[in-house]
Amino acid sequence: KVKRAKHELITTILTLPPGTKFNMVFFCGSITAWPESGGLIEATPENKNRAIARILAQKTSLNTPLMNGLDKCFAAEGVDTIFLLSDGRPVKSRLMKSEDILAEVRKMCTGARKITIHSVDFSPLVGLKDSGGKHGANQLLADIAKTTGGTYQVFSNWNMKVKVPAR
């Protein structure tokens, strides 16, 4: 699962066209940004290689503070697109209930700032309930994408072998 997520993220970084600005926010137990400033950086070959090295070094944990990670993304000046790779199950998050998360996403993404969130679901399970018991985790990721005009994709072939592309 982690190898597949890293592969998808690296592939995305490698395809960023010149002139694109990007950053990455990891929320596996704690929230960390790359670059550490949390700001957007130019997608130069050097910055792409540095980003790939950071992706490969990223450790994972079982906790997904989903809303806290999105808060960090929203804080980046000039952000207009977010790729959210998650299992969709908020754990130890500032907001835990799906309807609360969706309300906050709607407020942050559809007001003066137009931010599109593309959700990539890496959950091997379907229909996980959030702490409020209202929504499946997969549905939360789908609803976040729909609310912001983004796309929702599910990656569920966990037996596939993935090779990380050479830098």
Side-chain angles (χ1 to χ4, degrees):
K1 180 169 146 174
V2 173
K3 280 185 182 180
R4 178 67 191 258
K6 286 182 177 186
H7 171 77
E8 294 299 327
L9 185 53
I10 289 169
T11 299
T12 299
I13 297 294
L14 289 172
T15 61
L16 292 174
T20 301
K21 291 186 177 183
F22 76 104
N23 72 359
M24 299 181 299
V25 175
F26 299 95
F27 44 105
C28 298
S30 63
I31 310 299
T32 56
W34 185 92
E36 289 181 16
S37 68
L40 302 176
I41 60 169
E42 189 85 23
T44 64
E46 178 185 346
N47 285 338
K48 288 180 184 183
N49 283 335
R50 290 175 47 224
I52 290 168
R54 177 62 177 85
I55 292 165
L56 293 173
Q58 177 63 37
K59 304 289 185 217
T60 61
S61 82
L62 298 176
N63 296 321
T64 306
L66 186 64
M67 194 64 236
N68 307 45
L70 286 172
D71 287 339
K72 187 78 168 177
C73 294
F74 296 147
E77 187 175 327
V79 69
D80 61 7
T81 306
I82 296 169
F83 289 87
L84 173 62
L85 285 70
S86 177
D87 64 4
R89 185 169 176 234
V91 176
K92 297 184 180 179
S93 183
R94 177 174 70 81
L95 299 174
M96 293 294 293
K97 293 183 179 178
S98 296
E99 47 277 348
D100 295 340
I101 292 171
L102 286 171
E104 185 72 7
V105 165
R106 193 173 292 110
K107 182 175 94 177
M108 296 303 293
C109 296
T110 61
R113 292 174 71 188
K114 301 291 185 213
I115 301 173
T116 302
I117 300 177
H118 300 286
S119 297
V120 181
D121 185 347
F122 282 92
S123 174
L125 305 173
V126 176
L128 291 172
K129 297 293 183 191
D130 71 6
S131 63
K134 305 283 187 200
H135 245 89
N138 308 80
Q139 188 63 47
L140 174 59
L141 291 176
D143 287 348
I144 287 172
K146 182 179 179 183
T147 296
T148 65
T151 58
Y152 171 70
Q153 294 183 339
V154 178
F155 289 96
S156 59
N157 184 0
W158 303 118
N159 295 321
M160 85 179 270
K161 294 191 180 185
V162 175
K163 291 184 181 178
V164 176
R167 292 183 278 149

